[in-house]
Amino acid sequence: MNEMDTAARFAPWIELTRFWSELEPQSQEALIGDATAVEYALGDPVDIQFGLMVSGTCGLEYSVDDGRRSLVELFRSGDLIDLARRERRPQGALVALGYCCVLTMGSDDFDLCARHHADIVRAYRHQMEDQVGRLRDHVNDLALKSPLERIVSVLFELRRWPEASAGEASELVLPLLRKHIAAYAGMKPETLRRAMRKLRDADLIRESRMDEDKIELIDLATLRRIANGGRARDVKRMG
Amino acid sequence: MNEMDTAARFAPWIELTRFWSELEPQSQEALIGDATAVEYALGDPVDIQFGLMVSGTCGLEYSVDDGRRSLVELFRSGDLIDLARRERRPQGALVALGYCCVLTMGSDDFDLCARHHADIVRAYRHQMEDQVGRLRDHVNDLALKSPLERIVSVLFELRRWPEASAGEASELVLPLLRKHIAAYAGMKPETLRRAMRKLRDADLIRESRMDEDKIELIDLATLRRIANGGRARDVKRMG
DNA sequence: CGTAAGGTTGAATATGTTCAACTTGGGTGG
DNA sequence: CCACCCAAGTTGAACATATTCAACCTTACG
């Protein structure tokens, strides 16, 4: 990890995010004033309780006694990180899933900030509503969808990330390692691969030979239907 | 559904909840002033976007095209309900999972209320942090635990509900139908039953003959170990 | 050049689901 | 008061499918 003191460094990405753009300029300054920007590399533990993702990705990793691990939530640029809780001790640990930069601050400092700037409360609520909504969608994916459907669902989720849709609309640049995608989708890397192969064999996606983590979504309509659990759990049975 | 205008009706339960008790008396009055209490019976659609659970249980139900359904999140007394979101249309629908009473209000009214009472923002954040924490725990349960472990995990979650722990500490009164517990745990009722039987056969729980939904947790230490994914996914293999 | 980590593949295994049949309890109407 | 129905819940057997394990390939890196 690496501390930075120049706001300029992370400006380009954060300007694009919803939370940040909803804030008045003076609120942005107030937040930055209380915060510290920290950089992490892939695999680094991210030892913060409260903060704002500036760029990159990190994930909340849970693990159980026998060693199994899962990625419970993904944080991308613009996301608020808040791990505090009262009824139980905070579970899991934040890990950087690639290079990432986080603007971190005390939860109480944020409270204080919010007291003087009403727009911060509004933006905070809007952002949290979206993140909770994503969490709920993800619960649904895990609860009743097949691995194939889950993968497609996750692909669509990643497609909404600012970093992922760099090129054409149908092109998707995976911002995560395959094993992390699998951990997030609640399956093993092998299962992820088999599901991807099914999609590839059905001509729904195309994997780039040059660039490992570039994927082309060919048939968006069918993919959307699969992600929504449309009728069939398997590609072969699709009409 | 049924509207009520007397605050006295729901006072007993809500007084016990964390969110409510964190509020100053004048904040409580301000919230009640803007709100309407509505009652629902088992199975009723709960057509609200923002509100506070006063008593009973309701759940956020997702369904996919082919008819599969899951309960993504459970709301119990004291919980805040907020289904709004911006990046995607709100998914799923609230359903009453038994008799329940909800204090409902406009999200904007709440914002306005919060602007004049700083303690509301604090209490709101604390409550949401807990609910998001529960959601994260649940994601972890679904992502990497076996049905057996998930069930035990859910039992512990239900044990923290104010309604469930009526009698002795080891006694648990299920506030939900079995099929709803199964839907929440991401499995079929049959799988739920088989997991319960394993627990019963291993003398970890006892099911009351008189009262269908009363369960006695016999060996809390072992159950806790199972819920945490301790080493073995199956009861038989436990040390 | 050798190691380590991510990723892929196949075969055997374990395990959750499906389906149908059945029981039970609560409600309704004759 | 009883017959009837419906929904919730239960059980067993057949089935579908994700995981496991091992081997292997590839790339990045020292």
Side-chain angles (χ1 to χ4, degrees), chain B residues 158-195:
Chain B
L158 295 178
R159 215 168 74 104
R160 291 190 209 98
W161 290 25
E163 294 94 333
S165 55
E168 303 176 27
S170 69
E171 213 172 78
L172 174 65
V173 181
L174 298 180
L176 274 63
L177 292 176
R178 296 271 203 287
K179 67 168 182 172
H180 290 145
I181 295 179
Y184 179 63
M187 65 186 72
K188 305 293 174 223
E190 295 96 321
T191 311
L192 170 63
R193 159 57 35 202
R194 288 185 244 272

Side-chain angles (χ1 to χ4, degrees), chain A residues 5-224:
Chain A
D5 52 0
T6 56
R9 183 72 175 278
F10 52 81
W13 275 121
I14 204 167
E15 298 292 351
L16 298 174
T17 65
R18 231 264 329 285
F19 172 73
W20 197 252
S21 62
E22 275 192 17
L23 296 176
E24 309 277 347
Q26 60 262 38
S27 303
Q28 294 179 351
E29 282 173 33
L31 284 178
I32 288 188
D34 285 346
T36 315
V38 191
E39 289 180 296
Y40 300 90
L42 172 61
D44 284 350
V46 178
D47 50 349
I48 70 171
Q49 284 289 310
F50 187 92
L52 173 65
M53 289 295 297
V54 172
S55 70
T57 316
C58 69
L60 180 61
E61 185 180 63
Y62 273 49
S63 61
V64 293
D65 301 347
D66 76 349
R68 283 170 284 167
R69 290 159 187 278
S70 76
L71 282 173
V72 155
E73 190 176 3
L74 302 178
F75 298 95
R76 56 159 210 237
S77 25
D79 281 348
L80 282 168
I81 297 173
D82 188 352
L83 303 185
R85 56 195 297 194
R86 276 145 199 84
E87 66 179 9
R88 284 187 74 183
R89 190 183 320 284
Q91 309 285 306
L94 272 187
V95 191
L97 302 180
Y99 162 83
C100 65
C101 175
V102 188
L103 201 60
T104 177
M105 60 195 304
S107 181
D108 294 334
D109 293 336
F110 179 80
D111 256 346
L112 218 59
C113 245
R115 193 160 309 176
H116 300 303
H117 303 274
D119 60 314
I120 292 185
V121 176
R122 274 187 66 83
Y124 170 85
R125 284 194 54 207
H126 289 176
Q127 181 61 31
M128 289 310 288
E129 283 168 349
D130 272 2
Q131 292 184 216
V132 170
R134 269 148 52 188
L135 219 35
R136 286 175 181 147
D137 293 349
H138 191 220
V139 168
N140 182 51
D141 287 352
L142 292 169
L144 54 66
K145 290 187 186 171
S146 73
L148 185 69
E149 293 163 343
R150 283 209 294 272
I151 287 306
V152 180
S153 198
V154 168
L155 291 183
F156 276 114
E157 182 177 341
L158 294 178
R159 215 168 73 106
R160 292 190 209 99
W161 289 25
E163 295 93 333
S165 54
E168 303 176 26
S170 68
E171 211 172 79
L172 175 65
V173 181
L174 298 181
L176 274 63
L177 292 176
R178 297 268 203 287
K179 67 168 183 173
H180 289 145
I181 296 179
Y184 179 63
M187 65 187 71
K188 305 292 175 222
E190 295 95 321
T191 311
L192 169 63
R193 160 57 35 203
R194 288 185 243 271
M196 296 283 278
R197 185 163 44 171
K198 270 188 192 169
L199 294 173
R200 195 182 44 189
D201 291 348
D203 279 326
L204 298 174
I205 67 170
R206 185 162 25 236
E207 293 178 281
S208 165
R209 285 218 165 277
M210 311 284 99
D211 197 344
E212 282 287 326
D213 43 70
K214 191 176 288 184
I215 288 181
E216 192 182 346
L217 307 179
I218 300 174
D219 185 348
L220 280 175
T222 305
L223 287 171
R224 179 66 73 187

